[in-house]
Each structure stands twice: as structure tokens, then as C-alpha cells.
Amino acid sequence: MGQTVICHLSFVICHLSLVDGGGGEDGGDGEDWGDGEDWGGLGRIGEDWGDGEDGEDGGDGEMNFLSSSLPRMMLIGAGLLYSNHYRKNPRKIMDSEQTQEILSLREKKLTPKQIARKMGLKVSEVTGFLKEQAEQVAIAREESGELPPIVECLINANCLSRLFPPEGAIVTQSEDDFDTTSDPGMAIVTVTRSPGFNRFITCTYLVDYWCLGVKDASGPRKYNRSEYERIASLYYDSFIGGSQKISLTQAQALVWGAVEYAEKLGFKPHHDFEKAKEQLGEWNGELKLEFGKNGKPFYTSGPYDNSAAIINTLNKSVGEGNYHGMIGMDPEL
């Protein structure tokens, strides 16, 4: 069972390059958004979001750029830039009261269509203004080095109770845990942020929390909403229980904690972790998790592991008899 879990996780991570790296709507060469210059096929600046007059595609995202910690003065400044732009544009010019009301209604989670109906404006006028606001906030955030707001963090549900048990629950481990799906010793952690409407930046981490730490990583990769939902489904649909949401603090504690634990054993994180780690943000170290199995490292071999080198490293770092594991179908090293 352990070998099957490892093979499945490795397949999911390796499959990312096939799914994400193609041209067209899946993100080009990894540097473009959606179909190249656009974010996943959305209109360029000055055009409508989504399908134009309907505008729903631009307003139903889970993230609201107004929830950023950037000062509200930035939004006011963006409103001034909007006014200057529309003096040169044949569209209707909005006064400051209108722009502030749009911002206020948007903070209340109203969609562009709902705002337009309430204020007697065209959907295209509302979405155009909101898009320019989002662009200015995104530019300011990038210049300041601030990470975009978190959309969600996900993990495969079959390891959730072991890593983050309900308060007061007693967690036990048996020597047969590797033969069950209750605690596979591996987690796929996905961290997704949103710098603007229908824009998602995702990093994924394959974490061996029993021994090796971060075995693989991907990202940051850029998606629109439909692409992101499809990718997230690919990651977790094959797991019993699918995925579960966790907090950013929990994601940080698991990934950074596993890296720290593995380094003490003599193992470094996968080289792609260097690019993906930024999206995690800084871990304050307050939430501590238990790594290893029954207090000892437990190595489960994967299809791409150099098992002999790993065993040699464990012998040097903790000594023979101070770790357990499974290579192939052998339950004990």
C-alpha cells in the first residue's frame, strides 16, 4: 500500500509539467497568464471582464482585492488615475462620489452586475473601473514586495487527522499504519494566492513528513479560475476523501517543519522548492507538528529514490536501529 501511495503522489507531481506547461489556455510556457498576454483569456485593459455586458466572470471570485492590507490611499490614488484615463476615453466619466460608492459596494461583496443595477450604470463601466483599481493595487503590491492575498490552502484529507487532530483528540500510531490509508506519511499541500480578479498563483509541495521532507515542488504557476479548479481537482480526486482546506499557518507549519526535520536527518528539500517557497510566506514557528513515525524516522521508498544513499545518510545521522522503513514490499529495513 505504501508503494502505491508513493507512486500515485509522484505521478501527480510529475503530471504537472504535462498539464501546466503546454501552450494556449493552460498557461503557455509557465510565464504567461492563460493564453499569453491575457489572464486566462480575459480582456486586456480597457475591455470588459468575462463575457462583456454580463460581467459576472469578473466579479464572483473568492478573493476581493480590496481585502489587501495596502493602505486605502492606494485605492483613492487609483481612482484619480481612473479619472484621468476616462477624460481621454469616450466612456462616461464618473465623479468621485460614484467611484467611492463602487468601492464601498465592492467591499460588501456585490458583483459588478449588482453594483451596476444599483447605481444605474453599465456593467462595462463598473468592471472597467474595478479592473483598473485591481491593476494599480497589483502593481503597488509587487513593487512593495508584498505577497498577494491567500485564496486557500489544501491538503489530502487522509492525512489531516494525523497532522491536525481535533482539539482534545488522542492520536495514536501503530506499526501497521503504512498498510492503511489513515496516515500515508505523505501530503500534497497546495497554496494559492490571488493578485487580482480571476487571477491565481499556485504552488504545490509533496511532503514526506515521516522522513525526507519536501520531495518535490512546483510553481509558482498562474491560472484563471477554471484552470485552477481543474488543476486542484487533478491533485486530489484520486485520494480517499479528496482534499480539505487548512489555514496558511498550518500549511507553513507542515512544509517548513518537514524541511527542518529532514535537514536534521541530512536531507535537503527538492531543488524546485527554492522557487516555490516564497508563496508560503514566513513561518513564525509557533505551531509545532510531530514528524517521523512513533518518534523515529520512517523511510518509505519511492520510484525515483536512491534508496542506498538514503539509508547510508540515516545510518550516519541517527544510527542503525534508530529508524524504520519500507523498501519495495519489505515492511522493515
Side-chain angles (χ1 to χ4, degrees), residues 65-85:
F65 71 90
L66 295 177
S67 65
S68 166
S69 60
L70 291 176
R72 187 168 179 80
M73 286 299 295
M74 179 54 61
L75 300 179
I76 296 174
L80 295 175
L81 290 173
Y82 164 86
S83 299
N84 290 335
H85 167 75

Side-chain angles (χ1 to χ4, degrees), residues 274-288:
E274 188 65 27
K275 295 182 295 182
K277 67 181 183 181
E278 181 180 354
Q279 295 299 312
L280 276 171
E282 294 185 6
W283 176 40
N284 59 21
E286 293 181 3
L287 176 61
K288 298 288 188 180

Side-chain angles (χ1 to χ4, degrees), residues 29-96:
D29 59 1
E31 294 295 323
D32 298 331
W33 295 91
D35 59 0
E37 296 181 12
D38 298 339
W39 290 74
L42 296 177
R44 295 173 176 80
I45 294 177
E47 296 179 356
D48 295 337
W49 287 82
D51 56 0
E53 285 299 316
D54 186 32
E56 287 292 345
D57 292 345
D60 289 335
E62 292 183 19
M63 282 306 304
N64 185 338
F65 71 90
L66 295 177
S67 65
S68 166
S69 60
L70 291 176
R72 187 168 179 80
M73 286 299 295
M74 179 54 61
L75 300 179
I76 296 174
L80 295 175
L81 290 173
Y82 164 86
S83 299
N84 290 335
H85 167 75
Y86 274 80
R87 289 193 184 98
K88 303 175 184 179
N89 193 291
R91 292 181 181 178
K92 178 180 177 180
I93 298 176
M94 299 182 191
D95 58 36
S96 59

Side-chain angles (χ1 to χ4, degrees), residues 233-285:
S233 176
L234 172 67
Y235 292 160
Y236 298 107
D237 274 1
S238 297
F239 287 98
I240 295 176
S243 65
Q244 288 287 334
K245 291 185 179 182
I246 58 176
S247 68
L248 176 61
T249 299
Q250 290 173 320
Q252 291 171 334
L254 174 54
V255 178
W256 285 118
V259 168
E260 185 178 274
Y261 177 76
E263 286 181 340
K264 291 178 181 178
L265 301 177
F267 305 109
K268 294 182 179 180
H270 190 276
H271 58 84
D272 286 338
F273 180 66
E274 188 65 27
K275 295 182 295 182
K277 67 181 183 181
E278 181 180 354
Q279 295 299 312
L280 276 171
E282 294 185 6
W283 176 40
N284 59 21

Side-chain angles (χ1 to χ4, degrees), residues 90-317:
R91 292 181 181 178
K92 178 180 177 180
I93 298 176
M94 299 182 191
D95 58 36
S96 59
E97 290 184 3
Q98 286 178 309
T99 57
Q100 290 305 310
E101 185 175 358
I102 291 174
L103 296 177
S104 176
L105 292 173
R106 187 61 181 154
E107 286 180 330
K108 297 176 181 179
K109 309 298 185 182
L110 271 68
T111 67
K113 179 180 283 187
Q114 291 170 329
I115 295 173
R117 287 173 178 170
K118 187 175 182 66
M119 296 183 62
L121 299 171
K122 292 181 178 180
V123 175
S124 60
E125 292 170 342
V126 175
T127 54
F129 170 69
L130 290 174
K131 181 175 180 180
E132 290 202 3
Q133 292 278 342
E135 294 290 343
Q136 294 301 321
V137 170
I139 291 172
R141 181 185 293 116
E142 184 176 352
E143 291 177 348
S144 69
E146 179 186 351
L147 289 172
I150 282 288
V151 175
E152 63 182 4
C153 300
L154 300 174
I155 192 172
N156 45 302
N158 58 339
C159 67
L160 193 65
S161 61
R162 154 70 171 85
L163 293 169
F164 307 107
E167 188 174 351
I170 299 176
V171 180
T172 60
Q173 297 178 352
S174 72
E175 293 299 322
D176 295 326
D177 276 348
F178 60 82
D179 283 331
T180 74
T181 58
S182 61
D183 185 10
M186 292 278 180
I188 291 183
V189 179
T190 302
V191 175
T192 302
R193 297 178 180 270
S194 176
F197 287 134
N198 205 24
R199 307 178 183 187
F200 298 86
I201 300 176
T202 297
C203 288
T204 303
Y205 313 88
L206 175 59
V207 182
D208 174 0
Y209 52 84
W210 280 353
C211 185
L212 299 179
V214 175
K215 292 194 67 174
D216 206 345
S218 70
R221 297 183 183 275
K222 304 173 183 179
Y223 304 107
N224 63 26
R225 175 172 294 280
S226 62
E227 291 167 341
Y228 168 66
E229 291 175 348
R230 179 166 57 87
I231 291 298
S233 176
L234 172 67
Y235 292 160
Y236 298 107
D237 274 1
S238 297
F239 287 98
I240 295 176
S243 65
Q244 288 287 334
K245 291 185 179 182
I246 58 176
S247 68
L248 176 61
T249 299
Q250 290 173 320
Q252 291 171 334
L254 174 54
V255 178
W256 285 118
V259 168
E260 185 178 274
Y261 177 76
E263 286 181 340
K264 291 178 181 178
L265 301 177
F267 305 109
K268 294 182 179 180
H270 190 276
H271 58 84
D272 286 338
F273 180 66
E274 188 65 27
K275 295 182 295 182
K277 67 181 183 181
E278 181 180 354
Q279 295 299 312
L280 276 171
E282 294 185 6
W283 176 40
N284 59 21
E286 293 181 3
L287 176 61
K288 298 288 188 180
L289 303 179
E290 178 186 350
F291 296 94
K293 184 173 183 291
N294 294 321
K296 295 182 179 181
F298 189 104
Y299 168 57
T300 304
S301 66
Y304 307 108
D305 289 348
N306 184 338
S307 297
I310 291 172
I311 296 303
N312 186 51
T313 299
L314 287 171
N315 286 334
K316 291 179 179 179
S317 60

